[in-house]
Amino acid sequence: MIQYTLAADRTNEAVASLYSAGDPAVIRLIEQVIKAAAKYNIDVNVCGEMSGEPIYTMLLLGLGATLSVTPHNIPEIRRLSLRLPSRVCPDRPGSLAYGDGARRE
């Protein structure tokens, strides 16, 4: 999604420097998708590299997204999510989705 939003292929040296998960356009897009989905009671799950980056954990959970992270990122992402107020992360201490899509406590 980030590559399409920014028209920047992270594997192409000529434009890779333009690729940024934290770009305002990317954050706005995620926020708009979450708001639109909420109108129809649809959850938005963010997967991929961004979901496993601790720097984005609080932002994504605060926007209302759920995260799907690889197993090695779960302990740190869980630790960060437990620091959030329950009004931001009401489903805590829930399970986290593994990279294979399975949910485990």
Side-chain angles (χ1 to χ4, degrees), residues 30-45 64:
I30 293 170
E31 180 181 32
Q32 290 172 353
V33 168
I34 292 169
K35 285 180 178 179
K39 290 179 183 178
Y40 300 96
N41 291 325
I42 298 172
D43 292 331
V44 173
N45 186 303

Side-chain angles (χ1 to χ4, degrees), residues 54-70:
I55 193 167
Y56 299 115
T57 300
M58 291 190 189
L59 171 66
L60 293 171
L61 292 175
L63 288 173
T66 57
L67 306 177
S68 179
V69 301
T70 57

Side-chain angles (χ1 to χ4, degrees), residues 4-84:
Y4 291 112
T5 303
L6 301 176
D9 181 354
R10 62 184 169 204
T11 63
N12 181 332
E13 291 181 21
V15 294
S17 64
L18 301 174
Y19 181 93
S20 171
D23 188 280
V26 173
I27 304 303
R28 268 193 310 274
L29 178 60
I30 293 170
E31 180 181 32
Q32 290 172 353
V33 168
I34 292 169
K35 285 180 178 179
K39 290 179 183 178
Y40 300 96
N41 291 325
I42 298 172
D43 292 331
V44 173
N45 186 303
V46 177
C47 59
E49 291 179 28
M50 186 179 192
S51 69
E53 287 291 327
I55 193 167
Y56 299 115
T57 300
M58 291 190 189
L59 171 66
L60 293 171
L61 292 175
L63 288 173
T66 57
L67 306 177
S68 179
V69 301
T70 57
H72 75 275
N73 287 334
I74 289 175
E76 186 169 10
I77 300 302
R78 180 179 286 266
R79 182 180 54 78
L80 288 170
S81 70
L82 289 174
R83 291 181 172 176
L84 291 173

